[in-house]
């Protein structure tokens, strides 16, 4: 029998599965300002990447998925994101990613 906790953990692992979403979430995790963090597509594009494709994925896949999950609130008209009402549920997982990054483990892929 599945519990609500199982469903939440599955949702979190699905969200964290893609490196672009992890980078967005880690940016919000480290953001210490009041509420908002602006998102620029170039912040998440590697120099050798297809910029148009990455921007399309960001705006048509990753940001909508994060917004729908409640982990992120995305204002499409003003192009900014902020922590969503469910963001705190991610903290233990983001803490682990942070520890892994500190040990020279890349969260980019």
């Amino acid at each position: 029998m599945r519990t609500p906790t199982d469903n939440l953990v599955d949702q979190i692992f699905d969200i964290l599965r893609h490196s672009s979403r992890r980078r967005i979430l880690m940016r919000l995790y480290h953001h210490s300002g009041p509420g908002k963090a602006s998102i620029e597509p170039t912040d998440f594009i590697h120099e050798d990447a297809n910029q148009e494709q990455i921007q399309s994925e960001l705006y048509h896949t990753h940001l909508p998925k994060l917004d729908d999950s409640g982990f992120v609130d995305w204002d499409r008209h003003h192009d900014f994101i902020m922590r969503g009402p469910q963001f705190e549920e991610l903290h233990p997982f983001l803490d682990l990613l942070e520890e892994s990054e500190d040990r020279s483990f890349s969260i980019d892929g």
Side-chain angles (χ1 to χ4, degrees), residues 6-89:
D6 291 337
N7 292 333
L8 176 62
V9 170
D10 288 345
Q11 182 183 21
I12 289 171
F13 279 122
D14 183 50
I15 289 293
L16 294 175
R17 185 170 45 134
H18 198 280
S19 61
S20 292
R21 292 191 295 266
R22 289 193 305 269
R23 282 192 297 272
I24 291 166
L25 293 168
M26 291 304 286
R27 181 166 175 186
L28 286 173
Y29 177 74
H30 290 120
H31 181 72
S32 59
K36 299 182 208 177
S38 62
I39 289 292
E40 296 289 331
T42 55
D43 291 347
F44 303 102
I45 299 173
H46 298 289
E47 290 178 17
D48 58 344
N50 178 335
Q51 293 187 4
E52 203 171 289
Q53 178 185 348
I54 300 295
Q55 183 173 349
S56 177
E57 289 174 3
L58 183 66
Y59 284 101
H60 296 287
T61 303
H62 302 307
L63 288 174
K65 186 170 188 136
L66 289 167
D67 188 55
D68 290 344
S69 72
F71 298 126
V72 167
D73 282 333
W74 174 36
D75 183 330
R76 297 165 199 238
H77 301 292
H78 296 102
D79 201 21
F80 71 81
I81 66 167
M82 55 191 277
R83 293 177 180 195
Q86 300 300 317
F87 191 84
E88 295 301 316
E89 299 291 341

